[in-house]
Amino acid sequence: MSSVYYLAAVLKSLPAVVGLGLDTSPYALRRAARSHARAGAASWDIWQPFPVRSHAVDFVLNVFAPRNGPEFHRILQPSGALLIVTPAPQHLGELQRHLGLLSVDPAKEERLRRTLSARFQPDHTEALEYVMALTAQDIEALSFMGPTARHINPDVLRRRIALLGTPFQATASFVVSVYRPR
């Protein structure tokens, strides 16, 4: 599922909230803008100052994406929350083994805490894991949306996927962390 799915779910559950999706992908931006009546989208480099007033945001959602801690802190209200979803080391492990996908750094969570610690304090962390039955199309989409897409030739990856039986069982394993501004 894409971050657009999560943005729409948050907006659905919080009727008084307006959402903004920031991305560099025109495809992702079109989907974000159409995901919900209260969603907007802007093409933006995550490492540049966000097009948002300081302390104007109640909630920042970051799903499997780079994080600009200083900007998250600047735009969040003092009572706001930063929710970050990161892959756990065993995320899509079955696909890593069969397709040669890149693995997740086991120190990822510790590095996240360290990079945010000057501006944020951890509030809650929860590990989630479930098994998915994936079609070849699902596997291709998952493979090409991650960093592996830049490390394996697409034709080679498609040939490897074709050798898998479907539905293919793969484990989604991730960590959901809530941080509060200091």
Side-chain angles (χ1 to χ4, degrees), residues 34-85:
R34 294 182 193 139
S35 71
H36 196 280
R38 290 180 279 115
S43 178
W44 208 258
D45 177 350
I46 190 75
W47 305 115
Q48 298 302 313
F50 297 167
V52 176
R53 280 188 344 260
S54 295
H55 310 295
V57 175
D58 293 312
F59 180 75
V60 172
L61 173 65
N62 179 272
V63 180
F64 284 31
R67 292 158 296 280
N68 185 334
E71 274 301 285
F72 290 164
H73 189 267
R74 182 187 66 78
I75 67 171
L76 268 174
Q77 293 184 8
S79 60
L82 168 60
L83 188 143
I84 298 179
V85 182

Side-chain angles (χ1 to χ4, degrees), residues 66-182:
R67 292 158 296 280
N68 185 334
E71 274 301 285
F72 290 164
H73 189 267
R74 182 187 66 78
I75 67 171
L76 268 174
Q77 293 184 8
S79 60
L82 168 60
L83 188 143
I84 298 179
V85 182
T86 55
Q90 60 273 27
H91 182 63
L92 302 178
E94 300 88 350
L95 292 176
Q96 290 172 20
R97 288 187 292 280
H98 285 85
L99 302 177
L101 302 185
L102 296 177
S103 60
V104 177
D105 179 1
K108 188 173 191 80
E109 273 307 301
E110 178 54 36
R111 201 172 56 252
L112 172 65
R113 283 185 188 274
R114 210 174 40 251
T115 61
L116 294 176
S117 66
R119 293 177 177 87
F120 291 93
Q121 59 190 11
D123 183 55
H124 177 77
T125 299
E126 186 172 339
L128 298 171
E129 190 170 282
Y130 54 90
V131 175
M132 305 177 291
L134 302 172
T135 65
Q137 186 178 10
D138 295 333
I139 295 167
E140 185 172 319
L142 281 169
S143 300
F144 286 123
M145 77 171 59
T148 295
R150 293 179 296 280
H151 295 278
I152 295 179
N153 178 292
D155 293 329
V156 170
L157 188 55
R158 285 186 184 98
R159 282 194 297 275
R160 291 176 185 173
I161 292 169
L163 296 174
L164 297 176
T166 58
F168 185 83
Q169 303 290 311
T171 305
S173 183
F174 48 94
V175 178
V176 178
S177 301
V178 177
Y179 291 87
R180 301 285 178 178
R182 289 191 187 274

